[in-house]
Amino acid sequence: MKKALLALIATMLISGCSNSNTTASNAPASDTATEQNQPHHQVTDQWVGRWTGVEGLFLEISKDEPAGPGHYLLHMRYGLDADQVGTFEGQATAEGISFNRGGGPQLLRAGDGEATGMKWLLEKEDCLVVATGEGYCRD
């Protein structure tokens, strides 16, 4: 989460400081700078696959090939009630994958177990979070 925030801040600073008279550096670009210069979907494409929540909750992300790059299908069980399961169309953004569900627009973003707000996932490091209390992790 901190990495994503720092990368976003770095991008804003770099874009505000661009100058056509700047000379190229021979130093290799950092991973963070490289990620920021890539289309959003190159980061979120790495999220494709199955993510596990608590008590049988899950998230399965697949590419929505007909819709084109940066478009996804999010199949998820996001609650314990029978009607809290569905497939939603998502689109890559600078912050994650945006999608609409029930109460309106949602954002799926990278985080860790602590960001999920669930004690069962606290030790996890590779997670996706919709909101505090709703997160999915990989082992």
Side-chain angles (χ1 to χ4, degrees):
M1 184 87 167
K2 289 180 183 178
K3 268 186 159 177
L5 181 59
L6 290 174
L8 179 61
I9 290 170
T11 301
M12 290 190 299
L13 289 173
I14 291 169
S15 66
C17 296
S18 64
N19 183 345
S20 60
N21 294 329
T22 306
T23 59
S25 169
N26 289 333
S30 70
D31 290 340
T32 303
T34 302
E35 286 178 12
Q36 290 303 311
N37 293 329
Q38 298 174 355
H40 303 306
H41 72 88
Q42 289 187 355
V43 173
T44 53
D45 277 358
Q46 297 173 28
W47 299 355
V48 169
R50 187 172 178 91
W51 298 76
T52 305
V54 297
E55 298 185 25
L57 305 185
F58 66 87
L59 165 65
E60 292 177 351
I61 302 174
S62 59
K63 291 182 182 182
D64 188 355
E65 299 290 349
H71 292 269
Y72 304 92
L73 294 175
L74 311 175
H75 179 63
M76 55 184 20
R77 171 166 290 286
Y78 53 94
L80 300 177
D81 295 336
D83 65 341
Q84 292 181 310
V85 62
T87 301
F88 308 94
E89 295 178 356
Q91 183 169 357
T93 70
E95 295 81 26
I97 297 176
S98 64
F99 66 101
N100 287 308
R101 180 181 74 194
Q106 306 287 325
L107 179 65
L108 184 64
R109 64 192 188 289
D112 58 15
E114 188 174 339
T116 70
M118 294 181 279
K119 66 181 181 179
W120 302 277
L121 300 175
L122 278 178
E123 302 299 318
K124 303 290 185 181
E125 294 183 18
D126 189 12
C127 302
L128 297 177
V129 181
V130 176
T132 301
E134 183 185 352
Y136 311 90
C137 301
R138 287 186 171 155
D139 287 324

